Amino acid sequence: MEMTGSLPVPSVQAMVAAGRHAPVPPRYLRPDLAADVVVADDATTIPIIDFQRLLLVDPEESARLHAACQDWGFFQLINHGVPDDVMEAMKASIQSFFALPAEAKQQYRQQAGQLEGYGQLFVVSEDQKLDWADVLYLNTQPPEHRNLSFWPAGESFRQTLDTYSAAVKHVADRLLGAMYMNLGLQLSIMDMDPERGAGIQSVNQLQGLQIKRPPDGGGAWAWLPVTPLQGAFVVNVGDVLEIFTNGRYRSVEHRALVNAHTERLSIAAFHSPSIHATIGPLPELLGDQEVPKYKTLDHQSFITLFFSAKLQGKSFLERMKKLS
């Protein structure tokens, strides 16, 4: 049976409330992570990109963006123009939702075969390791893709999310345009919708996000903690752009670690191709000589492969690679 939703799992918040001193269930434990190498050098940080300078087509800033996408796959975006009050209102609305009683949040729980709603994303088997987190996943843009039955009731939340998602879409459209200019492409080629794929993330100032980095002088790969800048967006290139660019831009493995004492809030906006798009290396970028590294699939086949990789515990990008 084709799997395109997420299996129901217990609420982490409910488990914590029911037994604050109870042991964490085994499905959430990752003892293997204790051996991971974590970079302790505070001087090593992901690139910082100034959005306003990109809008002015500043050649140095455009070059920094290009290098960040090629070498890091992550960067922080400052001066993005989304007003502070819009960002703070969004954070407050999300915090208010997760502060609701458990039975109130359950009104918006994920349904069978669906990703939208309250629960966890991409749970595809009963023995799968789970994140110590609860998620509210909503399609926000374009408005005709919204399913308001999953949107928490109340004009304030819905108006706030509408305003915030429109502001982030404005940033994402122009940021993607700058990336495409760096690649010598036209924006209309990729025709991105702000739903799923490449990501823009707003977080509270609590550290937890880490990205995997190759060693500078040899040795084991290491995890680099990302310290979020006040008011900045953390931007992740993601799998789709790595495929479109035939590996020129990198999708980087990343993770979020929990804090034993403080909750971590993350508001992620995922952007993906139109449901009518074909996903694969762009012919306009490949030219006549370059060999495509990835398969080309229609949107439905792409989604099916994504969930198949999750079910089998395999890397999605590895499944997309063409056999040599």
Side-chain angles (χ1 to χ4, degrees):
M1 183 177 70
E2 183 177 303
M3 173 69 182
T4 57
S6 195
L7 297 176
V9 294
S11 161
V12 168
Q13 282 186 308
M15 286 191 288
V16 171
R20 291 189 176 274
H21 302 291
V24 175
R27 289 187 73 182
Y28 298 90
L29 297 177
R30 307 287 179 89
D32 53 306
L33 301 186
D36 287 350
V37 178
V38 178
V39 176
D41 180 9
D42 292 338
T44 304
T45 61
I46 66 173
I48 298 170
I49 304 298
D50 189 319
F51 185 65
Q52 294 304 314
R53 292 183 65 183
L54 285 180
L55 295 181
L56 295 173
V57 198
D58 181 291
E60 292 184 359
E61 203 66 23
S62 295
R64 274 192 283 272
L65 173 65
H66 193 49
C69 294
Q70 287 179 310
D71 301 333
W72 286 84
F74 267 85
F75 55 89
Q76 298 204 58
L77 191 69
I78 62 172
N79 295 327
H80 47 67
V82 179
D84 288 344
D85 62 334
V86 171
M87 296 180 67
E88 291 304 315
M90 189 71 259
K91 291 178 185 178
S93 292
I94 294 297
Q95 287 170 329
S96 295
F97 171 78
F98 283 103
L100 290 173
E103 58 274 15
K105 292 194 288 286
Q106 286 300 315
Q107 297 178 51
Y108 309 103
R109 67 185 180 276
Q110 292 165 326
Q111 303 299 313
Q114 298 287 324
L115 283 178
E116 282 196 88
Y118 174 65
Q120 275 207 35
L121 293 181
F122 311 126
V123 181
V124 294
S125 70
E126 297 292 346
D127 56 357
Q128 176 183 339
K129 286 290 187 180
L130 301 177
D131 294 330
W132 189 248
D134 292 329
V135 173
L136 177 64
Y137 181 87
L138 302 170
N139 287 330
T140 61
Q141 298 286 345
E144 58 267 25
H145 288 186
R146 295 173 181 173
N147 185 341
L148 294 181
S149 66
F150 292 111
W151 288 44
E155 191 64 29
S156 175
F157 181 97
R158 295 182 177 187
Q159 182 60 53
T160 297
L161 182 52
D162 180 69
T163 301
Y164 178 80
S165 62
V168 172
K169 178 185 184 301
H170 178 86
V171 173
D173 287 346
R174 282 146 188 81
L175 185 58
L176 288 166
M179 292 179 183
Y180 303 161
M181 285 181 62
N182 281 335
L183 292 164
L185 299 170
Q186 296 296 319
L187 178 60
S188 59
I189 291 174
M190 293 192 192
D191 190 19
M192 302 287 276
D193 285 336
E195 291 177 6
R196 302 175 293 273
I200 292 179
Q201 187 174 55
S202 173
V203 298
N204 60 8
Q205 299 308 301
L206 184 67
Q207 204 170 48
L209 177 65
Q210 297 181 347
I211 67 170
K212 204 165 192 179
R213 287 287 294 163
D216 292 328
W221 283 56
W223 291 96
L224 174 68
V226 174
T227 302
L229 299 175
Q230 180 69 39
F233 286 135
V234 178
V235 181
N236 169 22
V237 166
D239 292 349
V240 172
L241 281 181
E242 176 165 331
I243 293 166
F244 273 141
T245 64
N246 206 37
R248 287 171 174 78
Y249 286 177
R250 296 181 58 207
S251 177
V252 174
E253 187 178 355
H254 55 284
R255 67 187 186 185
L257 300 186
V258 299
N259 185 291
H261 307 289
T262 308
E263 291 182 341
R264 179 179 185 272
L265 172 68
S266 176
I267 303 172
F270 300 102
H271 299 253
S272 78
S274 162
I275 60 173
H276 306 294
T278 298
I279 295 94
L282 295 172
E284 295 83 349
L285 193 59
L286 294 178
D288 297 329
Q289 302 298 322
E290 185 175 343
V291 176
K293 299 176 182 176
Y294 301 97
K295 303 171 185 175
T296 295
L297 302 174
D298 60 50
H299 191 272
Q300 185 55 53
S301 298
F302 176 82
I303 296 298
T304 300
L305 182 64
F306 178 84
F307 276 92
S308 173
K310 287 285 184 182
L311 186 60
Q312 297 175 27
K314 297 184 181 297
S315 163
F316 168 68
L317 276 179
E318 289 300 316
R319 293 286 302 274
M320 278 294 293
K321 286 182 178 177
K322 298 189 74 171
L323 297 176
S324 57

